[in-house]
Amino acid sequence: MASTGSLTPTEVGVSPLSATSATDYVKLAADSDNYEIQSSRLALTKSKRDDIKSFAQQMITDHTGTTKAR
């Protein structure tokens, strides 16, 4: 394990996306943004906690912004 307290991709059990084309990476990132937006919308409708709703709204704002930036 790394001595700085952070794990390398190998230690976590993942491999870098170095073989992924730019086009495929953008598609993966868009899918990730969509997941975060949709799951956060669900949290907004289902949660009764204000802190959860606040975080969900921030996730929607952030991931909508990164989707538009592409």
Side-chain angles (χ1 to χ4, degrees), residues 15-55:
S15 57
L17 294 174
S18 59
T20 304
S21 71
T23 301
D24 287 343
Y25 179 81
V26 169
K27 289 177 185 176
L28 289 169
D31 287 346
S32 175
D33 277 345
N34 187 47
Y35 173 82
E36 295 295 347
I37 291 166
Q38 295 306 318
S39 62
S40 294
R41 285 182 179 156
L42 183 61
L44 279 176
T45 62
K46 299 290 184 181
S47 182
K48 293 178 172 67
R49 291 179 43 182
D50 289 338
D51 60 332
I52 299 293
K53 289 182 177 190
S54 177
F55 182 75

